[in-house]
């Protein structure tokens, strides 16, 4: 197949990627969009296989079978609650592939140059090629190892708590500078390939150290950022190979990750630098907890909650990561169906950083068959909160803490929250009064209109359903 | 126009297209957006195919094979899991 035809096919693939992402603008068109993206990928792969320089297909197809089997099994078996770690893992593989391809391209070019190929010699001296190889190696390694650590944290293999030590920022800067210096050394002595691997090794350590200090509830930001890196690594590889489809696909993904990172940071009222380098969640200000809660906490029972719900017209459920941990989404769906059948309007208010990745709660609720038009964004539901009869907080804490609005010295000051405290009655389903990720007490629990239903989320919802059916 | 400037032009314009398209994705679809865009970043697979298939040296062939495996996990897994999620959103019309 001629070079021009291959490039035309790549153009078609790029257009399909753009159209595919465009399809994600609405749940109705999203399935088709994703299929268009997949078709684009298929076209790109098929024409690449027709490239005249390929002399052997055995290894390629071995790779397809092995990778395809692993990818497919993961995709089919994974539980929706574990989606954050799966996406984290995929990010890592993308970054890893980019760094391997860039390294291989360098070695191939070097071998050809040493055999006297003039074009390859020119390429080794070309800044686009060399700088892009280094960028791809560094970003790829950071993405790969950073993602593995994120996966470990989400899967519970590595501590979810922030791991901090004195001088950590200096260590990271030194590692980044060290990786770049090794890259420059590689450019100066292209035949000394170990420099590439030293650079990758240093960047790998950097990737691990970048994610280790980040705590569980900040994971949405990290996953989004690593998503962006995996795209940028692919784009850098595109510069290495002077390949347009890699550059276009990579920059689309890079842009997507940056937008999501930005949305997540705004939803916590923190800068990206603060999330990555700031110390959040380590200072537990529990001193005044006693004053806030003393004598003001009202515990309730599933029967009482059922009575409140019977007489309500409008109910809003605010889910958090706790709902995922308790696997309570199906019980919530049963409660939703029961209440709707009794003529109660039930909606879900979803905070952008609820859960461990962007959109995590929406996926869980969709899995449980909750219609997507019942899933409301924070900005949509907040102005209507005063008309809500009962707000049920299920496994969420910091994202409904009114301190964010009232106390400028609080670690979550200025963070947009779901204003459940404005509802007529608030029911908080929670095991205990323990603080959320921010490590601060939540005055919501002590409000006059708040009732605490202590217990496991799934079990409590189930008992409320039973009480409703009996009542 | 040099090759580099041309390729840089494509890069910058693609980022703008990305921003335009992706800001229109609603928050309820942010998880499928991440997994789907992730599958697209598996486009490195075409570089991997060339390294594994052209077999310049033993080392580049091995690197290429490993890269094909990594990228295929990304592509196949990414598109499949996205499809699985999107079907869940679709089914309640």
């Amino acid at each position: 197949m001629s070079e021009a035809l291959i490039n035309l096919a790549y153009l078609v693939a790029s257009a399909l990627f753009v159209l595919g992402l465009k399809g994600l603008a609405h749940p109705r068109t999203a399935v088709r969009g994703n299929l268009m993206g997949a078709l684009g990928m298929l076209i790109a792969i098929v024409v690449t296989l027709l490239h005249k320089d390929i002399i052997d297909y055995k290894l390629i197809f071995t790779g397809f079978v092995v990778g395809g089997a692993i990818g497919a099994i993961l995709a089919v078996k994974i539980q929706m609650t574990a989606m954050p770690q799966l996406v984290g893992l995929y990010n890592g593989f993308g970054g890893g592939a980019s760094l391997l391809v860039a390294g291989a391209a360098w070695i191939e070019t070097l071998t050809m140059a040493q055999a006297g190929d003039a074009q390859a010699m020119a390429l080794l001296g070309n800044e686009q090629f060399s700088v892009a190889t280094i960028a791809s190696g560094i970003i790829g390694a950071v993405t790969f190892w950073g993602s593995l650590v994120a996966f470990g944290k989400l899967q519970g293999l590595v501590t979810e708590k922030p791991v901090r030590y004195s001088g950590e920022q200096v260590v990271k800067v030194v590692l980044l500078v060290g990786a770049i210096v090794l890259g420059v050394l590689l450019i100066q002595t292209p035949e000394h390939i170990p420099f590439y691997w030293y650079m990758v090794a240093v960047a790998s350590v950097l990737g691990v150290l970048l994610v280790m200090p980040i705590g569980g509830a900040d994971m949405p930001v990290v996953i989004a950022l690593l998503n962006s890196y995996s795209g940028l690594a692919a784009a850098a590889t595109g510069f290495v190979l002077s390949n347009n489809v890699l550059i276009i696909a990579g920059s689309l993904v890079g842009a997507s990750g940056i937008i999501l990172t930005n949305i997540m940071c705004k939803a916590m009222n923190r800068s990206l630098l603060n999330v990555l380098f700031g110390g959040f969640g380590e200072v537990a200000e529990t001193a005044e907890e006693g004053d806030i809660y003393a004598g003001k906490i009202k515990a309730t029972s599933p029967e009482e909650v059922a009575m409140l719900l019977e007489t309500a017209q409008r109910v809003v459920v605010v889910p958090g990561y706790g709902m995922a941990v308790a696997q309570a989404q199906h019980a919530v769906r049963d409660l939703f169906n029961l209440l709707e059948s009794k003529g109660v309007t039930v909606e879900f208010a979803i905070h952008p950083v609820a859960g461990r990745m962007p959109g995590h709660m929406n996926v869980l609720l969709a899995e449980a068959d909750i219609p997507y038009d019942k899933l409301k964004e924070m900005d949509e539901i907040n102005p209507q909160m005063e008309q809500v009869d009962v707000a049920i907080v299920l496994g969420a804490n910091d994202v409904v803490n009114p301190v964010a609005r009232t106390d400028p010295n609080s670690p979550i000051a200025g963070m947009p929250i779901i204003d459940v405290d404005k509802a007529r009655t608030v029911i908080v389903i929670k095991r205990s009064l323990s603080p959320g990720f921010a490590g601060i007490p939540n005055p919501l629990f002590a409000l006059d209109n708040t009732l605490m239903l202590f217990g496991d989320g799934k079990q409590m919802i189930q008992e409320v359903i039973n009480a409703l059916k009996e009542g | 126009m040099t090759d580099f400037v041309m390729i840089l032009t494509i890069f910058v314009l693609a980022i703008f297209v990305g921003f335009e398209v992706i800001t229109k994705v609603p928050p309820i679809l942010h998880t499928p957006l991440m997994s789907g865009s992730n599958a697209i970043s598996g486009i490195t697979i075409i570089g991997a195919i060339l390294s594994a298939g052209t077999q310049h040296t033993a080392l580049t062939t091995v690197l290429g094979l490993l890269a094909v495996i990594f990228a295929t996990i990304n592509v196949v897994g990414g598109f499949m899991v996205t499809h699985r999620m999107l079907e869940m959103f679709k089914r309640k019309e």
Side-chain angles (χ1 to χ4, degrees):
Chain A
M1 208 172 187
S2 78
E3 199 84 346
L5 273 178
I6 290 180
N7 281 323
L8 277 176
Y10 285 164
L11 175 61
V12 173
S14 306
L16 284 168
F17 292 152
V18 174
L19 290 172
L21 290 172
K22 207 166 174 269
L24 287 178
H26 196 281
R28 257 198 325 270
T29 53
V31 173
R32 199 180 60 213
N34 186 52
L35 291 175
M36 286 169 91
L39 177 66
M41 188 62 73
L42 184 68
I43 292 174
I45 291 172
V46 169
V47 299
T48 307
L49 288 172
L50 298 174
H51 197 283
K52 59 181 180 352
D53 290 345
I54 296 183
I55 52 170
D56 180 80
Y57 286 94
K58 282 199 293 293
L59 280 180
I60 297 175
F61 283 99
T62 309
F64 284 169
V65 171
V66 174
I70 297 173
I73 290 170
L74 285 173
V76 173
K77 296 267 176 202
I78 195 81
Q79 287 204 333
M80 288 300 145
T81 44
M83 199 51 71
Q85 47 267 52
L86 182 71
V87 171
L89 202 59
Y90 285 161
N91 281 335
F93 287 132
S98 292
L99 92 86
L100 292 170
V101 170
W106 186 273
I107 300 168
E108 283 163 15
T109 311
L110 181 69
T111 322
M112 282 159 70
Q114 283 167 342
D117 185 314
Q119 226 182 337
M121 277 187 227
L123 200 54
L124 278 183
N126 178 318
E127 288 86 2
Q128 178 196 323
F129 177 75
S130 52
V131 173
T133 303
I134 289 163
S136 182
I138 293 178
I139 302 172
V142 167
T143 311
F144 183 71
W145 286 100
S147 299
L148 286 189
V149 174
F151 169 80
K153 279 182 174 254
L154 291 162
Q155 188 71 25
L157 305 171
V158 180
T159 173
E160 265 218 310
K161 293 209 176 74
V163 178
R164 295 192 174 275
Y165 47 92
S166 60
E168 58 170 300
Q169 310 322 343
V170 181
V171 172
K172 285 178 223 165
V173 171
V174 168
L175 286 170
L176 179 63
V177 172
I180 294 172
V181 167
L182 286 164
V184 173
L185 286 173
L186 178 70
I187 296 178
Q188 283 170 350
T189 50
E191 69 285 355
H192 197 74
I193 291 164
F195 278 138
Y196 183 79
W197 301 115
Y198 298 154
M199 176 189 84
V200 165
V202 172
S204 300
V205 178
L206 177 64
V208 171
L209 294 186
L210 272 177
V211 181
M212 278 311 282
I214 294 174
D218 284 342
M219 274 302 152
V221 181
V222 176
I223 300 272
L225 191 66
L226 289 169
N227 190 231
S228 169
Y229 285 174
S230 77
L232 294 177
T237 311
F239 278 93
V240 174
L241 306 174
S242 283
N243 184 311
N244 287 342
V245 71
L246 255 82
I247 291 176
I248 294 170
S251 35
L252 290 175
V253 179
S256 163
I258 288 168
I259 290 171
L260 290 174
T261 309
N262 198 18
I263 293 173
M264 294 301 112
C265 287
K266 270 201 190 133
M268 298 197 292
N269 191 37
R270 294 163 65 200
S271 69
L272 179 58
L273 284 177
N274 181 270
V275 174
L276 291 181
F277 303 113
F280 191 61
E282 40 178 0
V283 221
E285 297 170 20
T286 44
E288 77 259 56
E289 200 172 272
D291 304 340
I292 290 176
Y293 293 154
K296 294 173 196 156
I297 300 291
K298 294 181 293 296
T300 185
S301 64
E303 291 73 26
E304 193 183 351
V305 173
M307 279 188 321
L308 278 166
L309 292 174
E310 291 247 82
T311 55
Q313 286 179 341
R314 194 164 173 201
V315 173
V316 166
V317 180
V318 184
Y321 184 56
M323 181 183 80
V325 174
Q327 295 276 2
Q329 66 270 31
H330 299 285
V332 168
R333 182 258 333 270
D334 294 340
L335 180 65
F336 168 85
N337 285 341
L338 186 60
L339 289 175
E340 290 263 302
S341 73
K342 289 176 186 278
V344 184
T345 307
V346 185
E347 286 160 324
F348 294 82
I350 305 200
H351 193 278
V353 292
R356 288 293 187 259
M357 77 181 291
H360 193 188
M361 293 296 120
N362 299 294
V363 169
L364 291 185
L365 293 169
E367 182 200 12
D369 270 335
I370 307 282
Y372 61 76
D373 56 2
K374 294 288 183 183
L375 311 178
K376 303 292 180 193
E377 292 170 38
M378 174 172 65
D379 295 340
E380 193 183 346
I381 203 88
N382 269 349
Q384 307 164 21
M385 234 0 146
E386 276 155 36
Q387 283 105 55
V388 171
D389 298 307
V390 181
I392 302 176
V393 178
L394 179 60
N397 191 343
D398 294 331
V399 296
V400 291
N401 192 336
V403 155
R405 286 197 314 254
T406 54
D407 180 3
N409 297 320
S410 157
I412 59 168
M415 174 170 128
I417 60 159
I418 296 180
D419 298 329
V420 283
D421 52 322
K422 292 183 179 161
R424 291 197 185 93
T425 307
V426 185
I427 292 161
V428 179
I429 304 181
K430 208 172 171 321
R431 285 172 181 278
S432 68
L433 288 173
S434 62
F437 181 68
I440 52 170
N442 191 340
L444 172 77
F445 303 161
L447 288 180
D448 288 341
N449 56 337
T450 301
L451 297 170
M452 301 295 296
L453 182 57
F454 290 110
D456 170 72
K458 187 176 172 182
Q459 194 193 343
M460 286 302 123
I461 296 279
Q462 204 58 55
E463 285 183 24
V464 170
I465 294 171
N466 294 343
L468 272 169
K469 281 181 178 160
E470 285 161 18
Chain B
M1 200 154 63
T2 63
D3 280 357
F4 174 69
V5 174
M6 202 146 82
I7 222 161
L8 187 68
T9 309
I10 291 168
F11 176 65
V12 172
L13 292 181
I15 286 183
F16 276 101
V17 172
F19 269 91
E20 283 303 312
V21 172
I22 286 158
T23 41
K24 299 206 171 59
V25 178
I28 67 163
L29 291 180
H30 275 170
T31 298
L33 167 66
M34 290 191 83
S35 59
S37 65
N38 206 265
I40 292 176
S41 76
I43 187 68
T44 352
I45 194 168
I46 67 175
I49 290 173
L50 291 176
S51 287
T54 51
Q55 306 198 338
H56 280 272
T57 68
L59 178 59
T60 59
T61 310
V62 172
L63 294 176
L65 171 64
L66 208 55
V68 172
I69 295 175
F70 278 11
T72 311
I73 294 176
N74 214 338
V75 168
V76 173
F79 282 120
M80 277 179 71
V81 86
T82 308
H83 187 77
R84 201 178 136 204
M85 277 190 272
L86 292 174
E87 281 289 323
M88 296 182 329
F89 281 99
K90 197 176 120 188
R91 134 179 117 199
K92 280 273 172 173
E93 279 290 331

